[in-house]
Amino acid sequence: MTRLVLLLTFLVVPAVSSAQEAGFSSSGEDPLGSVVAPVMLPAGGTALYGYTGAPEVGLGFRQGIGGFEMEARGRFDWFKLAASLEVLGRKEVLRRGALQLAPSLGLGLVLNSGATYMDDDNFSGVLVRILPGLVASYRLGDTVALLGLVDLPIDLGLTGEKQRRFQALGGLGVEVYLGSGLSLLAAGQVGVETFQERAGAGHTRLGFNARVGLGTRLF
């Protein structure tokens, strides 16, 4: 009997330690992530976050609902003096070991002042924003997630018939659990931006987004 207990101890303890090192817990609770990670919050999960960066700052709220996630956020582009309110949904479509993948789709409204003090090509207007995107996450441990980020926002003018703006941005980020329900995000994206204020006045240039954010899991 003593030999059997020793044998079970020898087999079970390393297995439990390995599961903990891989980021799994017997309770199913995983505190890592509130700004971008995880790619989809579990049902009933709630998170609140804020970030600062260039060219924008923002605040957001995330809610896990059954098999998908809803997010509401406000953003302010201080390069253009433009504000936006957005609502989007995200659905995990792949989970393979430490890898997770989730596309997202959203809708928003943009109010652009047209200020040109930092952007000579900016234009004023009210635009509707369509927000396709993709988030990938790879867990590096209990407290760190490496992120892949793709955003493809499309702005279509409501006050100007031919006003439009499109960005194709891709990049990487990392989200780290700090303890006490707090997570820290650092991320950067680069790509292209194409836009026009009126027909025949189109421009294409480098697009970018860099941010540092802090979020908390409320539930």
Side-chain angles (χ1 to χ4, degrees), residues 178-201:
L178 302 177
S180 301
L182 295 174
S183 292
L184 177 69
L185 169 78
Q189 296 170 279
V190 295
V192 296
E193 178 182 21
T194 178
F195 58 95
Q196 67 175 29
E197 181 180 5
R198 59 188 182 277

Side-chain angles (χ1 to χ4, degrees), residues 63-171:
Q63 178 67 53
I65 306 173
F68 66 100
E69 176 191 311
M70 294 297 296
E71 179 177 352
R73 65 192 183 197
R75 301 197 282 181
F76 180 72
D77 187 322
W78 55 276
F79 280 29
K80 300 180 178 68
L81 294 186
S84 65
L85 293 175
E86 304 165 356
V87 177
L88 61 157
R90 201 188 295 175
K91 170 71 175 178
E92 182 184 84
V93 296
L94 175 67
R95 181 189 290 263
R96 185 168 298 171
L99 177 66
Q100 295 175 280
L101 187 68
S104 62
L105 183 63
L107 192 66
L109 184 68
V110 182
L111 305 176
N112 193 337
S113 70
T116 56
Y117 78 103
M118 289 191 69
D119 186 345
D120 293 337
D121 297 316
N122 193 28
F123 55 86
S124 63
V126 179
L127 305 97
V128 62
R129 174 169 289 173
I130 304 169
L131 291 153
L134 184 70
V135 177
S137 173
Y138 188 85
R139 288 292 291 267
L140 299 178
D142 287 350
T143 59
V144 181
L146 180 65
L147 302 168
L149 306 169
V150 175
D151 289 300
L152 306 168
I154 305 164
D155 295 348
L156 302 173
L158 298 177
T159 53
E161 182 180 353
K162 298 297 182 179
Q163 288 182 342
R164 61 166 176 79
R165 187 184 303 274
F166 170 70
Q167 288 183 309
L169 301 177

